[in-house]
Amino acid sequence: MAPNPSPIRLQTRAVVRSLLAQTAMQLFAEKGFDETTVDEVAAAAGVSRRTLFNYFRTKEDLALSGLSEQGEVIAIRLADRPGDEDVWVSLRYAFEVLDEIEASPENRLEIVSMLFDNDSLRAGHAEKQARWTDLLAPLIEPRLPASESRGFEAKAIVGAAITCLQAATEEWLRVRGSTPLFDLYDTAVAAIQKSN
Amino acid sequence: MAPNPSPIRLQTRAVVRSLLAQTAMQLFAEKGFDETTVDEVAAAAGVSRRTLFNYFRTKEDLALSGLSEQGEVIAIRLADRPGDEDVWVSLRYAFEVLDEIEASPENRLEIVSMLFDNDSLRAGHAEKQARWTDLLAPLIEPRLPASESRGFEAKAIVGAAITCLQAATEEWLRVRGSTPLFDLYDTAVAAIQKSN
DNA sequence: GCACCGTCATGCACTTAGTGCAAGATGCTT
DNA sequence: AAGCATCTTGCACTAAGTGCATGACGGTGC
């Protein structure tokens, strides 16, 4: 099949992919996701429609590909945390990389708005973030006390943390960014851990 | 617009809708979601394709409409719980209605499998369940200690509980139902609340 | 019975997302 | 220069979803 996809090929491919996604996001931000056709994106990027689908499986992917990469960056950060640190603390530090990655603060609100405006986009967004679980859970599993269900518990914890991040993002959007995202995140985490 | 959608009209409409969804699920279970076209569903149900889209916005909705209803049932159950009960306990009881609602145990595995097989279906499933938050959070909000962010905290808690349910479902699917769903749910909730 | 009314079902034409295929361009390797 | 794999593109096709206009159905008032 692909024993040697060649080192340089992969790199150019990644660059092109990134450029295409950028062009797409530009248009999506200008006209909205639903109002922008794939043909328009292809034209704006100067490639054929067919080629575009060679780089992205779906139109949705054009808007959400960044999330997968973010997941990988978070995983790298998480792996750097000391092994004896509380997992919730580690996760919070790892997530905070989002504050550094994401585009300028003004654009951020705009982008998040777009992601929440469209049904399937919002669903895809949630799904992609949920898939971060698969990347992060293996990293915190070894930190949990031994148990037959440790792997599953790790997934639950990571899933809950991501949910807090999502809830925080939703609230952050609601208040139009007037409260820092990670303040909201902390509130959410505190709420679910309160023994009540 | 619709000052009087008429009482009887709404009821027949709901019945037809339910019948259509049933027919669709039948086919989806037989041939798989992707391999079944909307035209086939329409034909099997004895209506035109156009009519089908009159009852369901998308093909996805045909498979996921049940989830919205489940959310409403859960909300009703939750409203019945005593007001001074621990919110996590209340939520668990409310969720347990799923064990009563859902189809025969054999079919359940099959249906859940189908929902997790397809990307957009899995995403839609997660989204619909996440929307349960909007129904359930207002019910538990008054039980939380007063605070400016109580509404948001309620959403975080409900969101986390739903995430535990989703994680449990995923694990339940992985082990092919060999462990009861709510045993897994309890493990997940315990994991995220452990102070570590 | 008959004309009037809103609602619903349907057919038709159309746009858009996404796929399979085959031909041609590109660029590296020997 | 020839050979090779990969990338791009056009073309034809399937399927989801929408807008519109027409006609069927069912009840109301006369």
Side-chain angles (χ1 to χ4, degrees), chain A residues 88-167:
Chain A
W88 289 92
V89 174
S90 294
L91 283 168
R92 201 214 125 117
Y93 275 120
F95 285 155
E96 268 188 290
V97 76
L98 293 177
D99 267 346
E100 304 167 23
I101 291 181
E102 294 218 346
S104 50
E106 328 85 68
N107 291 3
R108 192 168 171 179
L109 240 179
E110 190 184 19
I111 290 175
V112 175
S113 295
M114 186 195 81
L115 258 33
F116 278 77
D117 248 4
N118 175 276
D119 271 0
S120 77
L121 216 46
R122 191 173 55 238
H125 176 250
E127 237 290 292
K128 285 253 182 188
Q129 285 199 349
R131 283 311 115 200
W132 289 356
T133 305
D134 303 329
L135 292 175
L136 307 182
L139 296 175
I140 70 157
E141 190 203 331
R143 302 189 190 182
L144 299 181
S147 149
E148 347 112 39
S149 57
R150 210 175 50 163
F152 171 53
E153 287 169 29
K155 281 194 180 183
I157 291 172
V158 173
I162 291 172
T163 299
C164 287
L165 186 63
Q166 287 174 338

Side-chain angles (χ1 to χ4, degrees), chain A residues 57 119 122-123 127 163 184, chain B residues 57 119 123 127 152 163 184:
Chain A
R57 269 178 43 261
D119 271 0
R122 191 173 55 238
E127 237 290 292
T163 299
L184 295 168
Chain B
R57 270 179 42 261
D119 271 359
E127 236 295 288
F152 170 53
T163 298
L184 294 168

Side-chain angles (χ1 to χ4, degrees), chain A residues 54-110:
Chain A
N54 215 310
Y55 282 89
F56 296 90
R57 269 178 43 261
T58 67
K59 179 184 179 186
E60 237 182 63
D61 270 7
L62 275 168
L64 300 179
S65 70
L67 286 176
S68 308
E69 296 156 27
Q70 285 178 10
E72 288 159 29
V73 177
I74 293 170
I76 291 171
R77 281 282 183 120
L78 183 59
D80 270 351
R81 303 302 308 174
D84 58 347
E85 188 178 55
D86 177 87
V87 294
W88 289 92
V89 174
S90 294
L91 283 168
R92 201 214 125 117
Y93 275 120
F95 285 155
E96 268 188 290
V97 76
L98 293 177
D99 267 346
E100 304 167 23
I101 291 181
E102 294 218 346
S104 50
E106 328 85 68
N107 291 3
R108 192 168 171 179
L109 240 179
E110 190 184 19

Side-chain angles (χ1 to χ4, degrees), chain A residues 32-45:
Chain A
F33 182 76
D34 285 327
E35 290 71 31
T36 307
T37 69
V38 174
D39 295 79
E40 288 174 307
V41 175

